Amino acid sequence: MLLSHLNQSSSPQTDVSPTLVDILLRRVREHPDQPAYTFLKDGEAKTAQLTHSQLTHAQLTYGQLGTRVQAIAAHLQSTLSPGERALLLMPPGLEFITAFWGCLCAEVIAVPAYPPRRNQRLDRILGIVKDAQPSLILTVSDLLDSLRSKFQDSSLGQLDFLAIDTLPEHFASDWHPVAISPNALALLQYTSGSTGSPKGAMVSHGNLMHNCQLIQTAVKVSTKSRSVSWLPPYHDMGLINGIIQPIHAGCWSILMPPTAFLQKPIRWLKAISTFRATHSGAPNFAYELCVQRLRPEQKETLDLSPWNVAFNGAEPIQAQVMETFAAVFGDCGFQKQAFMPCYGLAESTLMVSWQPIHQAPNVVTVNSSRLTEGQIEPVSHLSTGSTQPLVSCGVPATDLTVRIVNPQTGQQCAAGTIGEIWIAGASVTQGYWQQPELTQTTFQAYLNNDQDGPFLRTGDLGGLLDDELFITGRLKDLIIIRGRNYYPHDIERVVETSHPALQAHSGAAFSVAIDGQEQLVVIYEVDRSYLRQLNVPEIAKAIRQAVSMQFELAVHSVVLLRPNSLLKTSSGKVKRLACRQAFLQGTLNIVGQDQPETLKQNASEQENSEQENAETSGPMTERDIQEWMRSRIAHALKIDPHQVELDTPLASYGLDSAVVVTVTTELEDRLGCELDPAFLFWEYPTIQEMALYLSTNAVSDTAPRHSQADVR
């Protein structure tokens, strides 16, 4: 009945469908039994020969996808009008996918967002809700009661919720096909770190179609391709590359939760090997993590030879990381020319430029001094001066206009000169939702010399050399750590309320590269009344705990300044770039500082210690768990174990989500049971509480493997 309904009602087919909805309907009609999405809930691809029947529980064919999507769309059509917003609050999975496509098929604007974890403040979600003003929150049954309770305690308790997994499939027959204009909005992409002033990039159906075609041209994806992604589906790279682009190309998409990758990075590579994936990618840190966490025996069954395109973007790309990854996994069939460094941003839907397919990354050695002066000057590898490598992000798309512009004068820069990257074209989104002034400033820029425009001002710094785009930094204050964006004013707002000794509106947050990794630094003025008895460790602990709880982000260095010493403009605005430079140069007026101490234990001693710990036989007692946790947390934070107190909340040490997941995974191996990182670290915040819980609920003489539900 469903296929008949589609044949009678869908739009006439052409070689290039006008919207993604038309493409989806065509896939459903022409290939109902072809796999569309497979979701590996635990990230495990257990066999190299997986049949359709083995994957039914975690897979949607195009026919199944069409039924679920149209059931959701039919319900939305009966309750909402075209152009209303629906907030998607659910974990990564097939439900999220069907909810997203259901919104598109009902002309409802999708607003994807991370669901709040236990005990997390709702600041960011509430900010999005107040800005987007959704008419409905789409979720799943498992989260429904929890979300209702959280929102009931806020000023937005009147919002309606819908658990999409409760909708019967026969609703699909009530769906009415619609003619969607390319100018109609498909979704709002909200910045990942925003709490106080969220910005939702307005992405139209036309934007999505244009960018999908750019991607298809760039990476040569087809119906014979297979894609693997662990990236969060709430933002541009994970949403478009993992969910939207596969439908556009008609390929099979294999997905897993981000936590599954962070727990065991090898799962990503195993999925690529098992499903013989041709396309997959991630930010730079993911490739580095695979190398760092690899055990030699894990390579034995990997076959990465089908992996044709390994895109690398969303954060600064390091040439050495790609070199090392290619060397380590070369005997597994991975080829260096599979790497595709690329550049893009949510305000331009996703992709802007990329290295050509099957071509090794272009790495140029440049003069470091000239780079600081705003010039990309290639030099010989044998140069005796200070040099550094820059990775090309390739040539911008031919139907996008990219200009390098002096941000002060608005004039176009000469080749090799660094300026702000400006973009124009059909992939550039429609502006920021409900923010006309900011939209005017960001999306309506014109060159001063010839009034060419309008352009999107990206806030990114870079230059064009031989028509290739090189990214060198950021004009705006955006902080990027592990591929996620954070706005400094959001972090500063949380910091200044963390301890009464901090002077309001007198701090700065920024990132610096330490040992090749971007790390967060917070500097703040101290209230004059606290100067005589300044308790630096107490203040630093409060700052780290607040940032960790709100953003799952570690603060590397806390710097306390004398009153009225923070660098500001004449109008009182914080000069974050100048503050960062002063921190690096050591010219801040500091009254106290707290940063990790380097472990005295060298690498080989640490490795031996961990090996001895891993070989300890017998079940772990409460005391064993306490000491193991103390040692492991200290190692992750690069501090002495004696600095980790058993009765102090671990969040106060500034643990980020990657450390939480890594430690939980190692603890699983030690105890022989499955653990939920979010539940464990946030329900039992101290080592003392955690050890008591685990020794009572998760440890037995035979160390059986529990399910997540058993342990919880």
Side-chain angles (χ1 to χ4, degrees), residues 571-628:
S571 61
K573 295 182 179 179
V574 178
K575 299 168 67 175
R576 295 188 183 91
L577 292 178
C579 288
R580 180 181 182 276
Q581 192 66 22
F583 170 80
L584 293 172
Q585 294 174 347
T587 57
L588 293 170
N589 196 346
I590 299 173
V591 294
Q593 189 167 357
D594 188 283
Q595 57 188 14
E597 301 174 6
T598 302
L599 283 175
K600 298 177 182 179
Q601 195 174 27
N602 62 37
S604 62
E605 289 173 338
Q606 179 66 33
E607 185 177 337
N608 292 337
S609 172
E610 291 179 353
Q611 183 66 26
E612 290 172 4
N613 194 21
E615 293 174 354
T616 302
S617 60
M620 295 180 74
T621 65
E622 180 181 347
R623 179 67 176 172
D624 292 335
I625 297 173
Q626 287 181 355
E627 291 306 312
W628 185 90

Side-chain angles (χ1 to χ4, degrees), residues 545-565:
Q545 182 169 1
V547 173
S548 178
M549 289 292 291
Q550 183 62 34
F551 300 101
E552 296 183 349
L553 188 61
V555 179
H556 181 275
S557 299
V558 174
V559 180
L560 303 179
L561 308 179
R562 289 194 177 279
N564 303 316
S565 66

Side-chain angles (χ1 to χ4, degrees), residues 479 486-495 509 520 547 551 553:
I479 296 169
Y486 303 88
Y487 283 85
H489 58 266
D490 296 326
I491 296 173
E492 291 157 11
R493 185 178 296 108
V494 169
V495 167
L520 177 63
V547 173
F551 300 101
L553 188 61

Side-chain angles (χ1 to χ4, degrees), residues 316-384:
I317 303 169
Q318 297 180 20
Q320 185 57 50
V321 168
M322 292 189 292
E323 286 282 352
T324 303
F325 185 92
V328 169
F329 293 101
D331 54 0
C332 299
F334 183 83
Q335 298 182 348
K336 184 179 176 182
Q337 57 264 37
F339 273 122
M340 179 183 278
C342 53
Y343 167 73
L345 66 164
E347 286 82 355
S348 188
T349 306
L350 178 60
M351 210 150 177
V352 173
S353 70
W354 56 86
Q355 279 280 146
I357 193 171
H358 305 318
Q359 178 176 308
N362 180 21
V363 181
V364 177
T365 303
V366 300
N367 184 307
S368 297
S369 298
R370 293 286 287 155
L371 194 64
T372 61
E373 296 169 0
Q375 295 293 322
I376 301 175
E377 184 178 288
V379 297
S380 166
H381 290 283
L382 302 177
S383 174
T384 56

Side-chain angles (χ1 to χ4, degrees), residues 166-209:
T166 64
L167 294 177
E169 291 191 349
H170 67 76
F171 277 16
S173 60
D174 296 329
W175 176 69
H176 303 292
V178 290
I180 300 174
S181 166
N183 295 324
L185 294 186
L187 73 141
L188 302 180
Q189 287 200 77
Y190 276 90
T191 53
S192 60
S194 186
T195 58
S197 303
K199 296 184 295 185
M202 298 186 289
V203 186
S204 71
H205 284 267
N207 292 147
L208 288 174
M209 280 294 294

Side-chain angles (χ1 to χ4, degrees), residues 35-83:
Y37 298 105
T38 294
F39 186 73
L40 308 174
K41 187 174 182 179
D42 60 0
E44 296 290 344
K46 295 178 170 48
T47 172
Q49 299 296 325
L50 294 171
T51 66
H52 289 270
S53 60
Q54 288 173 306
L55 289 173
T56 300
H57 68 285
Q59 178 169 287
L60 288 175
T61 64
Y62 276 108
Q64 293 166 335
L65 175 66
T67 301
R68 288 301 304 152
V69 165
Q70 290 174 52
I72 295 168
H75 182 82
L76 294 178
Q77 285 179 328
S78 69
T79 55
L80 303 180
S81 300

